[in-house]
Amino acid sequence: MTWTLLYLRSRRVPLALAAALGGAAVVWALYLAFAEERDVAPTVVVMTVLLMVAVLAPTLAGPDDDLDRTASMRWPWRRSAHLLAALLVVVVVLLVTRSTGARFGPVALVARDAAGLLGLTALCATVVGAARSWFLPLGWTTVAAMYPLTGTWGAAATWQSQPPDNDAATLVAAVLALGGLVAYSIAGPARREVSEDV
């Protein structure tokens, strides 16, 4: 087995990819079957991006923290490639639907939310670990999708649900994406706490 296959299996990437693709396919099929509009509603787009990111979040750490930290390999570029590949998966899968009867878009909305939510998830992974890294993105995005705000500060606070041409939302997503990429690439996921029986 090659190093890449071992890496992907150790992080449960095949299972996460199947779940992410399956979740997006279910949303797409339901929208295709029941919606009258061809374009998927922006709230559904945001929540589908969130679903895919949350499913991919556990792949940000392997099963053995010590092995990841002591292996004689350069982890920063591998972690960066991992995040960028996850971004590519989310964006490509949703944008493939542009030529079907239920279209996820616009492209700028999918790309902005995917990058921002993956960055936020990566930041959370460096602080609380990959297993719980999806909690904050889930809570924040759910509230933002239900109660989008207006104005500069409101748009920044609810960036996930803003129109794709909103500058404040784009800036927040870019900061989260870049911050998450840098923090996760350099620091990696937080160590899991091991409980000791006394």
Side-chain angles (χ1 to χ4, degrees):
M1 251 187 213
T2 65
W3 181 91
T4 305
L5 287 177
L6 288 171
Y7 174 85
L8 294 174
R9 284 184 57 196
S10 73
R11 281 168 167 63
R12 303 162 307 280
V13 171
L15 179 62
L17 275 177
L21 295 175
V26 166
V27 174
W28 174 82
L30 288 173
Y31 210 91
L32 186 63
F34 297 111
E36 296 176 5
E37 296 283 328
R38 185 173 179 203
D39 290 321
V40 176
T43 303
V44 177
V45 173
V46 171
M47 296 310 283
T48 305
V49 170
L50 172 67
L51 167 73
M52 295 182 76
V53 169
V55 168
L56 293 172
T59 68
L60 297 179
D64 188 345
D65 294 332
D66 292 328
L67 180 63
D68 280 1
R69 296 193 186 285
T70 59
S72 61
M73 18 179 99
R74 298 183 187 272
W75 281 106
W77 75 266
R78 285 179 172 86
R79 291 183 188 122
S80 298
H82 188 114
L83 272 181
L84 294 174
L87 175 64
L88 191 63
V89 165
V90 174
V91 171
V92 168
V93 165
L94 294 183
L95 294 185
V96 162
T97 66
R98 300 295 292 164
S99 60
T100 67
R103 302 184 304 185
F104 285 85
V107 175
L109 175 67
V110 172
R112 180 196 71 199
D113 281 10
L117 287 172
L118 273 168
L120 179 60
T121 302
L123 280 171
C124 291
T126 62
V127 177
V128 298
R132 294 182 293 246
S133 63
W134 55 274
F135 291 2
L136 179 60
L138 174 68
W140 189 358
T141 304
T142 302
V143 172
M146 291 172 40
Y147 307 106
L149 302 174
T150 57
T152 303
W153 293 108
T158 59
W159 60 272
Q160 304 94 319
S161 60
Q162 298 299 319
D165 59 351
N166 187 293
D167 292 336
T170 303
L171 179 62
V172 171
V175 167
L176 288 172
L178 185 59
L181 179 66
V182 170
Y184 176 73
S185 297
I186 294 172
R191 287 178 172 267
R192 290 181 286 268
E193 292 183 16
V194 179
S195 60
E196 295 181 13
D197 296 332
V198 180

